[in-house]
Amino acid sequence: MVQWTVPLADVRFDPADVEAVAAVYRSGWLSQGEQVEAFEHEFAAWAGCSHAVAVSSGTAALQLIMAALALGPGDEVVMPSLTFAATAAAVWHTGARIVFADIAGLNEPWLSADAAAAGLSPRTRVILNVAYAGHPGQTRALQALAASHGIDLIEDAAHGLGANDDGRRVGTIGRAGAFSFFANKNLPLGEGGMLVTGDAGLAGRARLLRSHGLSASTWERHHGDAPEYEVMMPGFNFRLDEPRAALGRRLLRRLDMNVARRRQLAQAYGAALAELPGVTPALPTTDGASSAWHIYPIVLGESIDRDDFRRRLGVAGIQTSVHYPPLHTSQAYREVENRLPLTEAYAARTVTLPLFPHMTDSQLASVCKAVETALDCAKPRL
Ligand SMILES: *Cc1c(COP(=O)(O)O)cnc(C)c1O
């Protein structure tokens, strides 16, 4: 494994976190128990929404939302192409048609409400927004657009854990939202996710579908409340287990503090990079909104060879990434005919720099120094 001086992301746990997980293993009760239930309650309180359903991944949360809405062939979903593969796959597996829409601009790399409006048809049932990098983007405008057409806004808030828009948590603004607890996300459990909604019916269907469509859980049967179960509908196994729920409860208490540190680091990046010609931070701050700063993407000047720039950072021990190769140009979704000029231009010029809560000021300074050197030396793009 490469030893990066500054990795792209990094996780750190306290001895007490590890102890909380070990205590669950010692208890002998590993799934569908009080840790998951408590995590759901605490998460709903934190998010300010009525229902939180813990699941095995962010992708599972998206799939459950689509299944609970009974999305299927004949339906259409408008979504960005600048996102992780899972956002589109959750739609694709329902049989609904994906309509990719462009981002708002090179320094506003989120789904444009105007582009989404242009992608609507009488068959559109869902606008699926992604809080790209943790930024709320045009969530409010998209919610208004969905409401005015009598369709649903669904939020892929995998990056948006800890973001706010107009005083509300990102993920709770549309009809339902999906969070991810994957190993590099803002609340890292390794694998895990949370579905949030204010809709009791949707939450109930999601709970049934999460565990094989069964009317009673193992926990309820074990405690004698429900001796038998009925198979209510064909379901999935999308459950989160108890040890990870116990860890999630602990990380939730530090989440806002960690997001505040991410914000501080992002501001420091912004100030340092403002001095350098040839790079722009990808995400401006917008009125009334605050980002969860899941990642820190920048946009390179048009003349800079990105591969060469990234290679130079790599040699300096700085790990970088690209979020994302657009889905509409990928093998999997190429037949979804669409040209998205802004998405394509952004995706060709963006680079994601390291960002994680315990990143030190001196690590940040060395990233900025390496960016400066790489900009001086990088080959011009052919
Ligand atoms: C991580 C991620 C997901 C999927 O979450 P998993 O927990 O890995 O299944 C979905 N959408 C986006 C934008 C993501 O970054």
Side-chain angles (χ1 to χ4, degrees), residues 107-344:
N107 294 100
E108 297 168 307
W110 45 70
L111 179 60
S112 149
D114 289 341
L120 297 179
S121 88
R123 291 173 298 280
T124 312
R125 284 195 49 207
V126 166
I127 298 172
L128 177 52
N129 189 38
V130 176
Y132 178 84
H135 201 289
Q138 297 187 2
T139 305
R140 273 178 278 170
L142 290 164
Q143 170 57 31
L145 176 67
S148 72
H149 285 79
I151 61 175
D152 291 319
L153 174 71
I154 300 300
E155 297 175 80
D156 178 343
H159 294 189
L161 203 50
N164 277 282
D165 195 9
D166 207 15
R168 290 176 67 183
R169 298 275 190 196
V170 163
T172 67
I173 295 161
R175 176 131 180 238
F179 292 104
S180 166
F181 305 139
F182 180 65
N184 64 8
K185 297 285 169 34
N186 283 12
L187 192 158
L189 297 184
E191 303 287 352
M194 193 71 81
L195 181 164
V196 294
T197 183
D199 179 330
L202 193 154
R205 287 193 297 287
R207 269 178 209 291
L208 274 176
L209 288 164
R210 168 179 65 175
S211 190
H212 308 293
L214 305 189
S215 62
S217 72
T218 333
W219 178 254
E220 287 159 346
R221 293 201 299 282
H222 184 75
H223 287 79
D225 312 336
E228 299 299 336
Y229 64 77
E230 177 67 58
V231 184
M232 308 292 286
M233 55 178 92
F236 305 95
N237 175 2
F238 284 160
R239 297 184 302 257
L240 183 69
D241 64 359
E242 290 282 287
R244 283 179 292 166
L247 181 60
R249 294 178 66 193
R250 290 192 51 87
L251 299 190
L252 184 61
R253 290 177 219 151
R254 314 205 273 278
L255 177 60
D256 286 327
M257 194 182 78
N258 283 340
V259 170
R261 174 62 184 159
R262 285 174 180 276
R263 181 169 306 122
Q264 202 176 47
L265 289 161
Q267 277 161 359
Y269 262 138
L273 298 178
E275 312 286 313
L276 306 177
V279 291
T280 343
L283 296 144
T285 50
T286 50
D287 278 351
S290 71
S291 175
W293 290 111
H294 170 54
I295 53 172
Y296 194 84
I298 57 172
V299 185
L300 297 179
E302 208 172 356
S303 62
I304 296 161
D305 181 323
R306 178 175 61 182
D307 292 343
D308 191 47
F309 174 85
R310 289 188 64 201
R311 192 187 54 75
R312 286 172 193 279
L313 285 184
V315 169
I318 314 293
Q319 189 181 20
T320 62
S321 184
V322 170
H323 292 86
Y324 288 96
L327 293 176
H328 73 285
T329 62
S330 70
Q331 286 273 359
Y333 300 102
R334 211 175 266 167
E335 75 279 10
V336 181
E337 79 328 306
N338 250 328
R339 271 224 64 228
L340 306 173
L342 292 169
T343 298
E344 286 159 30

Side-chain angles (χ1 to χ4, degrees), residues 1-8 313-320 363:
M1 231 163 89
V2 192
Q3 271 305 320
W4 299 104
T5 315
V6 191
L8 190 64
L313 285 184
V315 169
I318 314 293
Q319 189 181 20
T320 62
Q363 280 179 313

